[in-house]
Structure formats: structure tokens, C-alpha cells
Amino acid sequence: MQPTIRALSSATLPDFLKFFDTDAFADNPKWAFCYCQFLYVDHNLVDWKSRALADNRAAACDRVRADRMRGYLAYGGEQVVAWCNAAPRPMMDSFADEPDPDADAIGMIGCFVVAKPFRRRGLARALLRAACNGFAAQGLAYAQAIAQRNAVSEAENHFGPLAMYLAEGFSVHREDDDGTLVLRKSLATQ
């Protein structure tokens, strides 16, 4: 499938909302309330478990309109079939307690959501490439992502599969004790 990739903006917000309202989590309904807000809140200040779908949907609308949430949508025709949450790291408040001397130079890949009928068609890879190109155009030096070394299910790979990142030029920057990998790619050659 050759998707059309568009950046999240006020103009594409209705498409984002329709995707999250319907197809995004059809096979994983317990995550449907997120609207990709998890990484945009400081979990030391916000009780994530008490957040409701309406709270997160409204927050996504507010953040997009204020250019405080970014990412890319993959379209199959006029329909959104996949999403990649990708923004400069300082926008993602969940990393507030993880200082990094390069934080202002990092574009963070948050997660991928691909509608079940469209998985395994290269959509995540197309979105990853669009995100890296977008970060480079913004003058960021690195793309950073998280992956699970031992992920076996599609849900466990929601941050993106390790093999995809390695094939796209990312390398392991750090590994946590639980098998979580922080991956990084220099954008100097983008």
C-alpha cells in the first residue's frame, strides 16, 4: 500500500479524531481512551488512571490547535489508516523527570497505531520516515524512539518494532533492566 502521509494539524484534526473515534483501537478497546495523550502529560502531576476518554479527546484538540501535539497520519484514499505520534521531546511532558542534555535537539517517536486490516503493509515504516524527515526539517539533530526487546504481540510493539528501527538506521542508545530500549538516529544525513 502506498499511503499518503499528512502532518497532524488543525486541518487534519477531524481525520485524526475520526480515526481514534472508530478504527484505531477496534481490537484493543481498553486503549481507546488515550487519544495519544499519555506522553504529553507529566505523570508526576497527572493521575493517568483517572483520565477519561472525553478528557483526553479534548486535550488532543486543544494541543493540536495550539501546536503542542504533533504526528503524522497515513491515508488510504480519504481514510486515515495509521498514525505516528512524533514531536520534539520538550513537548512530551512525560519525559520531564528524565533529564537528557540533548533534549532540545531530539524528535521523539511516541507510538504507532495502525488499523488492524492495514497492518504489515509498511505503514509504520512510511510514518517513521516521514517523522524523521519532519524532525530534520525542524532542525532537530536526533530522532529517538522506544522499543521492547522481547515484544511478542502487536500491542507490545505499539512503540514500534525493534527490527524496523534498526533497519532504518537507529541504534541502541540505552537499555533499561526491563528490556526497554531507547533508540537514537542522527538526522545529520536526512
Side-chain angles (χ1 to χ4, degrees), residues 7 70 72 86 88 107 127-140 187 190:
R70 296 189 188 156
Y72 294 88
L127 288 164
L128 177 61
R129 289 175 179 166
C132 289
N133 290 335
F135 292 152
Q138 294 170 56
L140 299 173
L187 299 173
Q190 286 294 114

mmCIF file of all heavy atoms in Angstrom, residues 7 70 72 86 88 107 127-140 187 190:
data_model
loop_
_atom_site.group_PDB
_atom_site.id
_atom_site.type_symbol
_atom_site.label_atom_id
_atom_site.label_comp_id
_atom_site.label_asym_id
_atom_site.label_seq_id
_atom_site.Cartn_x
_atom_site.Cartn_y
_atom_site.Cartn_z
ATOM 1 N N ALA A 7 0.848 15.625 7.926
ATOM 2 C CA ALA A 7 1.139 16.020 9.304
ATOM 3 C C ALA A 7 -0.159 16.333 10.031
ATOM 4 O O ALA A 7 -1.119 16.841 9.445
ATOM 5 C CB ALA A 7 2.053 17.238 9.320
ATOM 6 N N ARG A 70 2.061 16.849 17.965
ATOM 7 C CA ARG A 70 2.395 16.622 16.553
ATOM 8 C C ARG A 70 2.435 15.135 16.239
ATOM 9 O O ARG A 70 2.546 14.304 17.118
ATOM 10 C CB ARG A 70 3.735 17.258 16.219
ATOM 11 C CG ARG A 70 3.708 18.771 16.355
ATOM 12 C CD ARG A 70 4.939 19.402 15.834
ATOM 13 N NE ARG A 70 4.947 20.828 16.160
ATOM 14 C CZ ARG A 70 6.044 21.548 16.241
ATOM 15 N NH1 ARG A 70 7.217 21.006 16.005
ATOM 16 N NH2 ARG A 70 5.969 22.823 16.540
ATOM 17 N N TYR A 72 1.964 12.227 12.527
ATOM 18 C CA TYR A 72 1.694 12.014 11.105
ATOM 19 C C TYR A 72 0.578 10.993 10.931
ATOM 20 O O TYR A 72 0.507 9.993 11.646
ATOM 21 C CB TYR A 72 2.966 11.545 10.394
ATOM 22 C CG TYR A 72 4.015 12.628 10.396
ATOM 23 C CD1 TYR A 72 4.904 12.755 11.455
ATOM 24 C CD2 TYR A 72 4.071 13.564 9.373
ATOM 25 C CE1 TYR A 72 5.841 13.784 11.496
ATOM 26 C CE2 TYR A 72 4.991 14.600 9.391
ATOM 27 C CZ TYR A 72 5.872 14.698 10.455
ATOM 28 O OH TYR A 72 6.775 15.729 10.492
ATOM 29 N N ALA A 86 4.675 11.848 16.946
ATOM 30 C CA ALA A 86 6.071 12.256 16.771
ATOM 31 C C ALA A 86 6.187 13.758 16.986
ATOM 32 O O ALA A 86 5.600 14.534 16.238
ATOM 33 C CB ALA A 86 6.556 11.888 15.374
ATOM 34 N N PRO A 88 8.817 17.122 18.985
ATOM 35 C CA PRO A 88 10.026 17.462 19.722
ATOM 36 C C PRO A 88 9.883 17.017 21.189
ATOM 37 O O PRO A 88 8.820 17.172 21.796
ATOM 38 C CB PRO A 88 10.090 18.992 19.609
ATOM 39 C CG PRO A 88 9.357 19.295 18.342
ATOM 40 C CD PRO A 88 8.240 18.279 18.305
ATOM 41 N N GLY A 107 13.832 14.723 18.411
ATOM 42 C CA GLY A 107 12.468 14.487 17.971
ATOM 43 C C GLY A 107 12.079 13.112 18.488
ATOM 44 O O GLY A 107 12.782 12.133 18.244
ATOM 45 N N LEU A 127 5.482 6.060 8.030
ATOM 46 C CA LEU A 127 5.275 7.098 9.040
ATOM 47 C C LEU A 127 6.574 7.445 9.755
ATOM 48 O O LEU A 127 6.848 8.617 10.030
ATOM 49 C CB LEU A 127 4.214 6.656 10.044
ATOM 50 C CG LEU A 127 2.777 6.650 9.521
ATOM 51 C CD1 LEU A 127 1.861 5.847 10.438
ATOM 52 C CD2 LEU A 127 2.259 8.071 9.346
ATOM 53 N N LEU A 128 7.384 6.436 10.054
ATOM 54 C CA LEU A 128 8.680 6.680 10.707
ATOM 55 C C LEU A 128 9.564 7.549 9.821
ATOM 56 O O LEU A 128 10.189 8.507 10.295
ATOM 57 C CB LEU A 128 9.373 5.350 11.023
ATOM 58 C CG LEU A 128 10.768 5.454 11.630
ATOM 59 C CD1 LEU A 128 10.738 6.198 12.964
ATOM 60 C CD2 LEU A 128 11.365 4.055 11.800
ATOM 61 N N ARG A 129 9.610 7.235 8.549
ATOM 62 C CA ARG A 129 10.424 8.042 7.618
ATOM 63 C C ARG A 129 9.903 9.479 7.544
ATOM 64 O O ARG A 129 10.687 10.432 7.528
ATOM 65 C CB ARG A 129 10.439 7.391 6.236
ATOM 66 C CG ARG A 129 11.261 6.120 6.206
ATOM 67 C CD ARG A 129 11.183 5.411 4.873
ATOM 68 N NE ARG A 129 12.012 4.214 4.880
ATOM 69 C CZ ARG A 129 11.950 3.269 3.972
ATOM 70 N NH1 ARG A 129 11.115 3.385 2.938
ATOM 71 N NH2 ARG A 129 12.724 2.209 4.066
ATOM 72 N N ALA A 130 8.592 9.642 7.504
ATOM 73 C CA ALA A 130 8.020 10.992 7.471
ATOM 74 C C ALA A 130 8.378 11.751 8.744
ATOM 75 O O ALA A 130 8.722 12.942 8.690
ATOM 76 C CB ALA A 130 6.505 10.922 7.301
ATOM 77 N N ALA A 131 8.320 11.078 9.883
ATOM 78 C CA ALA A 131 8.661 11.726 11.152
ATOM 79 C C ALA A 131 10.127 12.146 11.165
ATOM 80 O O ALA A 131 10.448 13.280 11.551
ATOM 81 C CB ALA A 131 8.356 10.788 12.320
ATOM 82 N N CYS A 132 11.022 11.270 10.737
ATOM 83 C CA CYS A 132 12.450 11.619 10.714
ATOM 84 C C CYS A 132 12.714 12.782 9.767
ATOM 85 O O CYS A 132 13.471 13.702 10.098
ATOM 86 C CB CYS A 132 13.291 10.405 10.345
ATOM 87 S SG CYS A 132 13.358 9.153 11.649
ATOM 88 N N ASN A 133 12.091 12.767 8.601
ATOM 89 C CA ASN A 133 12.245 13.888 7.661
ATOM 90 C C ASN A 133 11.688 15.177 8.255
ATOM 91 O O ASN A 133 12.275 16.246 8.096
ATOM 92 C CB ASN A 133 11.560 13.574 6.327
ATOM 93 C CG ASN A 133 12.293 12.504 5.547
ATOM 94 O OD1 ASN A 133 13.485 12.299 5.710
ATOM 95 N ND2 ASN A 133 11.558 11.803 4.695
ATOM 96 N N GLY A 134 10.564 15.072 8.954
ATOM 97 C CA GLY A 134 9.980 16.239 9.601
ATOM 98 C C GLY A 134 10.875 16.791 10.700
ATOM 99 O O GLY A 134 11.045 18.009 10.825
ATOM 100 N N PHE A 135 11.458 15.905 11.497
ATOM 101 C CA PHE A 135 12.376 16.346 12.553
ATOM 102 C C PHE A 135 13.587 17.058 11.949
ATOM 103 O O PHE A 135 14.025 18.098 12.437
ATOM 104 C CB PHE A 135 12.855 15.171 13.403
ATOM 105 C CG PHE A 135 11.802 14.527 14.262
ATOM 106 C CD1 PHE A 135 11.911 13.180 14.595
ATOM 107 C CD2 PHE A 135 10.722 15.236 14.756
ATOM 108 C CE1 PHE A 135 10.973 12.565 15.409
ATOM 109 C CE2 PHE A 135 9.762 14.633 15.565
ATOM 110 C CZ PHE A 135 9.894 13.288 15.893
ATOM 111 N N ALA A 136 14.132 16.479 10.882
ATOM 112 C CA ALA A 136 15.292 17.099 10.229
ATOM 113 C C ALA A 136 14.920 18.483 9.697
ATOM 114 O O ALA A 136 15.693 19.433 9.840
ATOM 115 C CB ALA A 136 15.812 16.198 9.108
ATOM 116 N N ALA A 137 13.736 18.615 9.096
ATOM 117 C CA ALA A 137 13.297 19.906 8.574
ATOM 118 C C ALA A 137 13.107 20.941 9.686
ATOM 119 O O ALA A 137 13.246 22.140 9.445
ATOM 120 C CB ALA A 137 11.992 19.736 7.786
ATOM 121 N N GLN A 138 12.823 20.462 10.903
ATOM 122 C CA GLN A 138 12.676 21.363 12.051
ATOM 123 C C GLN A 138 14.032 21.719 12.667
ATOM 124 O O GLN A 138 14.090 22.483 13.622
ATOM 125 C CB GLN A 138 11.813 20.705 13.136
ATOM 126 C CG GLN A 138 10.379 20.481 12.748
ATOM 127 C CD GLN A 138 9.653 19.609 13.756
ATOM 128 O OE1 GLN A 138 9.614 19.921 14.940
ATOM 129 N NE2 GLN A 138 9.083 18.517 13.286
ATOM 130 N N GLY A 139 15.108 21.136 12.135
ATOM 131 C CA GLY A 139 16.439 21.425 12.644
ATOM 132 C C GLY A 139 16.843 20.595 13.847
ATOM 133 O O GLY A 139 17.835 20.903 14.515
ATOM 134 N N LEU A 140 16.107 19.521 14.125
ATOM 135 C CA LEU A 140 16.468 18.648 15.240
ATOM 136 C C LEU A 140 17.624 17.743 14.831
ATOM 137 O O LEU A 140 17.751 17.367 13.665
ATOM 138 C CB LEU A 140 15.257 17.830 15.687
ATOM 139 C CG LEU A 140 14.074 18.680 16.191
ATOM 140 C CD1 LEU A 140 12.861 17.814 16.454
ATOM 141 C CD2 LEU A 140 14.464 19.462 17.439
ATOM 142 N N LEU A 187 20.166 12.700 12.604
ATOM 143 C CA LEU A 187 19.426 13.243 11.462
ATOM 144 C C LEU A 187 20.327 14.066 10.549
ATOM 145 O O LEU A 187 19.836 14.718 9.631
ATOM 146 C CB LEU A 187 18.230 14.061 11.953
ATOM 147 C CG LEU A 187 17.211 13.285 12.760
ATOM 148 C CD1 LEU A 187 16.166 14.227 13.328
ATOM 149 C CD2 LEU A 187 16.574 12.185 11.940
ATOM 150 N N GLN A 190 19.758 13.306 6.880
ATOM 151 C CA GLN A 190 18.377 13.303 6.383
ATOM 152 C C GLN A 190 18.216 14.305 5.273
ATOM 153 O O GLN A 190 18.728 15.362 5.242
ATOM 154 C CB GLN A 190 17.386 13.628 7.511
ATOM 155 C CG GLN A 190 17.176 12.498 8.496
ATOM 156 C CD GLN A 190 16.504 11.290 7.926
ATOM 157 O OE1 GLN A 190 17.118 10.255 7.840
ATOM 158 N NE2 GLN A 190 15.281 11.369 7.509
#
